[in-house]
């Protein structure tokens, strides 16, 4: 794995520093910094806020006027569709923060790509040699922008199909082709047989969605009134890259919680076997979800988002028991999550 980032001050590599640098970069580009919306969405089609764009869905659909032409946010999000992967892979989470820049019918593809590259290479000082991008299979415009305007070698612009590069938050609603920026931990392996799914080599950290269609229940795409930009950068993923950690869990955004859980269990995270490490990572991840859900007014129950909360709490308790923790301990680890 690549280690230090020459010239990058430590303050920028912390989770808080990355968040601040992202928002400031886009504020300087004329975006209004808006607060994170609640995890309890207005949108009735989902139980929880699953992406930075969700609070803006009525604007993209033309149902509400945009308060500003450009906005930037750090949105708290929860997704539980990959819950079984949490702790087992380097990057799956239930709770995560999504950094986003949004254009409501203002700038589009060219500008979004140019700024994403500038932010990645000038602010976060990622070496272009470590970057690789994907575009939607049919999106020749995006391909040409990356190749001709940014200068990415064509071998490092990978065309992907709908499953990977056509983004929609829900089965219906605003959507569009997307282009993703990946960090390549091993550029020395060359450009032959690139498999962006290989997470021992690549991590996707920035998704640029060219939001221009509404998809109906029959799968028909209708152009939206305006061409919009919706992006998502995983704060935890950028922290993994800039802090040169082997996974998101060992970054300063989550590791303090893991450390507290390990202390309660009387174990050393770096010395325990793989299954105990998974339990500690599950606790580190889920406690963040639990603390933020409760602070947004969700209470445990048998249905809907209340059931999600209950399930997450149960999983924390179970993994605590697997580590040999007896008695109540969630309050102690939750203090860590609240303090972060
Ligand atoms: N809305 C972009 C993303 O979630 O990746």
């Amino acid at each position: 794995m690549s280690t230090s980032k020459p010239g990058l001050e430590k303050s920028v590599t912390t989770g808080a520093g990355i968040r601040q640098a992202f928002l400031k970069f886009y504020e300087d580009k004329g975006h209004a910094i808006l607060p994170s919306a609640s995890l309890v969405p207005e949108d009735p089609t989902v139980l929880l806020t699953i992406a930075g764009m969700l609070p803006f869905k009525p604007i993209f659909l033309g149902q509400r006027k945009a308060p500003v032409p450009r906005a930037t946010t750090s949105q708290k999000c929860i997704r539980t569709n990959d819950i079984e992967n949490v702790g087992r892979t380097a990057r799956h989470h239930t709770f995560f923060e999504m950094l986003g820049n949004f254009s409501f019918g203002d700038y589009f593809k060219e500008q979004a790509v140019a700024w994403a590259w500038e932010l990645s290479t000038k602010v976060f000082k990622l070496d272009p040699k470590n970057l690789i991008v994907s575009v939607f299979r049919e999106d020749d415009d995006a391909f040409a922008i990356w190749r001709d305007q940014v200068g990415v070698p064509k071998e490092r612009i990978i065309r992907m199909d709908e499953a990977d590069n056509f983004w929609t938050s829900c089965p219906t609603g605003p959507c569009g082709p997307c282009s993703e920026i990946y960090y390549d931990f091993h550029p020395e392996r060359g450009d032959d047989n690139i498999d962006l799914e290989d997470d021992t080599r690549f991590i996707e950290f920035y998704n640029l969605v060219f939001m221009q269609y509404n998809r109906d229940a029959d799968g028909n795409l209708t152009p939206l009134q305006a061409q919009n930009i919706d992006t998502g950068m995983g704060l935890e993923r950028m922290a993994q890259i800039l802090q040169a950690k082997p996974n998101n869990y060992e970054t300063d955004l989550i590791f303090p919680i893991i450390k507290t859980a390990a202390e309660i269990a009387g174990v050393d995270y770096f010395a325990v076997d793989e299954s105990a490490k998974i339990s500690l990572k599950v606790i580190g991840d889920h406690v963040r979800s639990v603390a933020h859900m409760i602070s947004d007014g969700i209470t445990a129950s048998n249905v809907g988002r209340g059931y999600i909360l209950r399930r997450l709490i149960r999983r924390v308790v179970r993994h605590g028991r697997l580590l040999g923790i007896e008695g109540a301990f969630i309050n102690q680890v939750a203090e860590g999550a609240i303090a972060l």
Side-chain angles (χ1 to χ4, degrees):
M1 175 180 288
S2 172
T3 50
S4 62
K5 300 283 170 287
L8 199 57
E9 287 169 31
K10 188 171 182 308
S11 59
V12 179
T13 69
T14 62
I18 295 166
R19 188 191 296 117
Q20 192 183 23
F22 184 100
L23 297 174
K24 167 91 173 58
F25 176 83
Y26 281 106
E27 185 180 42
D28 288 346
K29 309 284 187 201
H31 295 62
I33 301 178
L34 301 181
S36 175
S38 169
L39 284 167
V40 180
E42 273 180 55
D43 185 339
T45 66
V46 281
L47 289 172
L48 293 163
T49 298
I50 49 147
M53 56 71 69
L54 204 74
F56 304 124
K57 198 170 156 183
I59 299 174
F60 291 133
L61 289 173
Q63 296 165 347
R64 188 179 298 165
K65 193 170 154 3
V68 286
R70 304 172 183 182
T72 183
T73 60
S74 178
Q75 176 63 50
K76 51 190 168 180
C77 299
I78 294 186
R79 292 184 192 170
T80 54
N81 43 331
D82 282 322
I83 195 167
E84 297 301 337
N85 284 331
V86 171
R88 294 173 195 279
T89 71
R91 63 189 167 81
H92 279 99
H93 294 296
T94 56
F95 180 87
F96 58 96
E97 259 181 82
M98 187 170 275
L99 301 167
N101 53 291
F102 305 92
S103 155
F104 308 119
D106 187 13
Y107 62 88
F108 197 48
K109 227 176 258 197
E110 234 176 89
Q111 188 63 82
V113 166
W115 280 339
W117 191 257
E118 185 185 335
L119 175 69
S120 302
T121 59
K122 300 282 193 301
V123 177
F124 295 132
K125 295 192 166 41
L126 301 180
D127 188 333
K129 281 202 296 292
N130 290 97
L131 300 180
I132 182 159
V133 302
S134 67
V135 295
F136 180 51
R137 193 185 51 222
E138 290 153 29
D139 193 348
D140 295 332
D141 291 347
F143 190 98
I145 293 168
W146 283 117
R147 185 191 53 193
D148 304 335
Q149 298 186 25
V150 179
V152 177
K154 65 179 183 337
E155 302 72 32
R156 292 182 71 81
I157 309 171
I158 314 296
R159 291 184 188 263
M160 309 270 275
D161 62 18
E162 282 89 347
D164 294 293
N165 278 65
F166 196 92
W167 199 86
T168 176
S169 63
C170 314
T172 61
C175 57
C178 63
S179 183
E180 298 179 314
I181 312 180
Y182 289 71
Y183 192 80
D184 181 356
F185 291 108
H186 296 288
E188 75 285 357
R189 291 186 191 164
D191 298 336
D192 295 334
N193 305 317
I194 287 203
D195 173 12
L196 292 177
E197 297 291 311
D198 174 4
D199 66 5
T200 63
R201 176 168 174 186
F202 301 107
I203 186 168
E204 179 251 308
F205 66 87
Y206 204 175
N207 185 16
L208 317 179
V209 183
F210 312 127
M211 194 164 271
Q212 60 203 102
Y213 301 109
N214 183 25
R215 182 151 68 185
D216 69 22
D218 296 323
N220 302 311
L221 296 178
T222 315
L224 294 170
Q225 281 169 10
Q227 293 187 316
N228 308 286
I229 290 294
D230 152 37
T231 78
M233 174 184 283
L235 174 63
E236 295 77 6
R237 293 180 181 198
M238 186 50 83
Q240 181 196 334
I241 296 166
L242 296 184
Q243 293 172 23
K245 298 292 181 190
N247 57 64
N248 293 354
Y249 300 95
E250 292 178 30
T251 67
D252 69 337
L253 292 162
I254 305 173
F255 198 66
I257 306 169
I258 290 180
K259 209 160 157 278
T260 304
E263 277 164 17
I264 298 168
V267 298
D268 173 357
Y269 168 85
F270 293 105
V272 292
D273 65 16
E274 195 48 31
S275 79
K277 269 204 176 78
I278 290 173
S279 288
L280 288 166
K281 289 173 180 170
V282 169
I283 292 172
D285 170 87
H286 288 9
V287 161
R288 294 211 304 163
S289 286
V290 168
H292 284 280
M293 288 172 88
I294 292 173
S295 83
D296 277 347
I298 302 170
T299 49
S301 78
N302 289 342
V303 290
R305 61 181 76 92
Y307 178 71
I308 295 175
L309 175 59
R310 192 168 123 174
R311 182 167 178 224
L312 289 164
I313 293 171
R314 279 176 161 173
R315 284 172 55 94
V316 172
V317 173
R318 175 165 172 273
H319 282 280
R321 296 291 178 264
L322 289 173
L323 289 165
I325 302 175
E326 288 168 11
F329 71 98
I330 299 190
N331 53 336
Q332 280 169 272
V333 277
E335 291 292 346
I338 294 162
L340 281 171

